[in-house]
Amino acid sequence: MYQRSLHDIVVDTGRAIQTLTREMQGEDELFASTLTLRAVEAQLLIMAHTLGNVTPLLHRRLAPLDWNGWAALHDKLRRGVQPRREEIWYAVSALVPQTLALLEALRKREPGLFAWDFSAGA
C-alpha cells in the first residue's frame, strides 16, 4: 500500500507539472512566468521528496532513473539554493517525463507492486 501511495503522489505531481508547462514554448517562457515557475517548483519539491522516500525495492526496480539528478534538485529546492534554473529545466524536460515513463512501464510489468492490499489486516 505504501508503494502505491508513493506511486500516486509521483504520478499526480508529474502530471501537474506537465499540465503547467504543456503550452510553453521553452525554457525562457517558464522562467519568465513567476507564478507558473513557483507552482512548478512546488510540485517538483513534492515529487523529489516523495522519490527520496521510495522503498529499496522500488529504487532497484527504477534503477535507470537519474536518482542523483532528483537528489540534487531536492536539495536545492529544499534549501532555497539559487541559481537553479538548469536543474529546474532539466527536471521539467527530462526527469519528470523519464520518471513517469519508467513508473508506467514498471506498473505494467509488475502491477502487484502497486496494489492496494487491504487483506493484510483481515
Side-chain angles (χ1 to χ4, degrees):
M1 195 160 41
Y2 178 71
Q3 292 178 152
R4 173 62 184 266
S5 295
L6 295 176
H7 168 276
D8 290 352
I9 292 167
V10 169
V11 169
D12 288 348
T13 55
R15 288 181 182 156
I17 292 162
Q18 290 179 325
T19 298
L20 286 164
T21 59
R22 180 174 294 127
E23 300 298 322
M24 297 198 161
Q25 301 301 311
E27 180 179 356
D28 291 335
E29 190 173 349
L30 173 61
F31 290 93
S33 176
T34 305
L35 293 176
T36 302
L37 180 59
R38 281 188 201 152
V40 167
E41 287 182 337
Q43 294 299 308
L44 285 171
L45 179 58
I46 294 167
M47 197 170 179
H49 182 77
T50 303
L51 287 166
N53 289 295
V54 299
T55 63
L57 174 64
L58 274 182
H59 198 281
R60 285 191 304 275
R61 294 291 202 279
L62 295 170
L65 195 58
D66 182 358
W67 292 104
N68 291 331
W70 277 114
L73 176 67
H74 185 228
D75 184 59
K76 281 197 167 189
L77 288 170
R78 189 173 38 87
R79 294 188 307 120
V81 174
Q82 294 285 351
R84 57 181 178 233
R85 180 180 174 130
E86 190 174 304
E87 290 85 354
I88 297 297
W89 185 247
Y90 174 60
V92 167
S93 63
L95 284 178
V96 170
Q98 176 199 40
T99 302
L100 293 178
L102 287 171
L103 270 173
E104 181 181 340
L106 179 60
R107 188 167 181 189
K108 285 181 180 177
R109 266 192 332 271
E110 299 184 53
L113 285 175
F114 305 105
W116 289 111
D117 185 7
F118 293 106
S119 63

